[in-house]
Amino acid sequence: MEKLLQEYFNDILNEMKKSQNESDNSGFSKDGEVYVNQNNLLRFLFFRLYYEDDDELIRLYNKEFQIGLTGEYFQQLYLVCFDRIFKKRFHMSPIGGIENKKVFMKGKVSLFKGRLVITETKLTIIK
C-alpha cells in the first residue's frame, strides 16, 4: 500500500514540477514572511485526502466546488490531489484541465450505487 501511495504522490510531484520550473517552488515569495515548500504541501494535501472515507472526500470536494475557482495556486494543488484520488477510487474525476494547466471543476458529485456521479454543474468563478 505504501509503495502504491508513493507512486501516486510521485506522479503528482512530477506534474507540478513541469508547470512550476521557473517558480521558487513555494507559492509564496522567499522574501516574504512565510516560505512553503511545494513538495511538503503537496504531500500533506495528498495524504490528508487519501485517508478520508468516500463520503468525507466527496463532502470536501463539494465544499470546494461551492467556494468556486479562486485562481489561487494552492487551490490548484488541492484540486490535483482530489483528481488523482477520485481517479484511483472511482475511475473518473470531476476535475478537468490538469493536462493543459487550466484546472476546472465539472460539478458537484455524489455516490450512486458505488459510482461517482456529477449532480450539479453551476460554478462560480471568483476573480
Side-chain angles (χ1 to χ4, degrees):
M1 175 62 104
E2 188 63 35
K3 183 179 178 189
L4 182 64
L5 287 175
Q6 192 61 42
E7 288 174 12
Y8 287 118
F9 176 71
N10 287 336
D11 287 345
I12 292 171
L13 278 179
N14 289 334
E15 189 169 304
M16 298 316 299
K17 284 177 186 175
K18 287 180 200 172
S19 67
Q20 293 297 316
N21 276 339
E22 292 94 31
S23 84
D24 66 2
N25 200 27
S26 68
F28 289 117
S29 169
K30 290 182 183 180
D31 298 330
E33 294 179 13
V34 177
Y35 177 76
V36 177
N37 180 282
Q38 175 182 319
N39 294 348
N40 291 341
L41 176 64
L42 195 54
R43 181 183 303 268
F44 171 82
L45 291 173
F46 180 79
F47 287 109
R48 179 65 57 98
L49 293 173
Y50 188 87
Y51 289 108
E52 294 292 353
D53 65 28
D54 293 347
D55 291 334
E56 183 64 10
L57 182 69
I58 289 169
R59 187 191 72 74
L60 290 168
Y61 167 80
N62 285 337
K63 181 179 175 186
E64 200 64 30
F65 182 81
Q66 279 185 300
I67 293 168
L69 293 173
T70 61
E72 297 168 293
Y73 176 71
F74 290 142
Q75 185 186 46
Q76 290 181 349
L77 290 177
Y78 196 45
L79 293 175
V80 167
C81 292
F82 273 112
D83 177 68
R84 293 296 186 258
I85 294 166
F86 278 130
K87 284 179 178 174
K88 171 65 180 149
R89 288 189 193 177
F90 305 108
H91 307 290
M92 68 89 63
S93 174
I95 299 161
I98 291 174
E99 296 79 22
N100 60 11
K101 300 176 190 164
K102 296 184 186 219
V103 177
F104 63 91
M105 295 177 279
K106 298 174 186 173
K108 277 189 173 181
V109 295
S110 65
L111 278 179
F112 180 72
K113 296 184 179 181
R115 300 193 70 172
L116 194 65
V117 294
I118 296 174
T119 57
E120 181 183 324
T121 58
K122 186 177 178 182
L123 172 64
T124 303
I125 298 176
I126 300 172
K127 294 185 179 186

